[in-house]
Amino acid sequence: MKIRLRRALTAFAIAAAVLFVAGTAFARFPIQGKEWGEWTRYDSSGNAIGGGRIECDGTMVTWGESGRPTPMTIHPCY
């Protein structure tokens, strides 16, 4: 009985850790000087209505209805 409970708690802890790491990886801003990021917002018809970009030096450029910068695609600076 104790072994079964311990295995269940271990599995739960591993699953929670994986979900936490995945969630923070998708919800982060680019690292200034090392990465840049961009995002695009779409309307209900799938048309791009706005977006933005965070440059390597930290400046943010937006267009249209940019909204909050989430989720974004992150790329390395060159």
Side-chain angles (χ1 to χ4, degrees):
M1 179 78 171
K2 288 183 180 182
I3 293 174
R4 187 178 297 173
L5 179 62
R6 184 179 297 157
R7 285 183 182 170
L9 290 175
T10 302
F12 177 76
I14 291 171
V18 167
L19 289 175
F20 175 77
V21 170
T24 55
F26 290 122
R28 70 179 183 85
F29 271 51
I31 301 169
Q32 188 172 349
K34 295 185 178 184
E35 300 172 326
W36 63 274
E38 63 182 346
W39 71 95
T40 305
R41 295 187 91 62
Y42 299 95
D43 63 8
S44 59
S45 300
N47 302 314
I49 58 169
R53 179 176 168 132
I54 300 175
E55 302 291 342
C56 290
D57 63 359
T59 59
M60 186 181 298
V61 181
T62 60
W63 61 275
E65 297 181 28
S66 60
R68 284 185 52 205
T70 56
M72 70 175 62
T73 307
I74 296 178
H75 308 278
C77 294
Y78 293 108

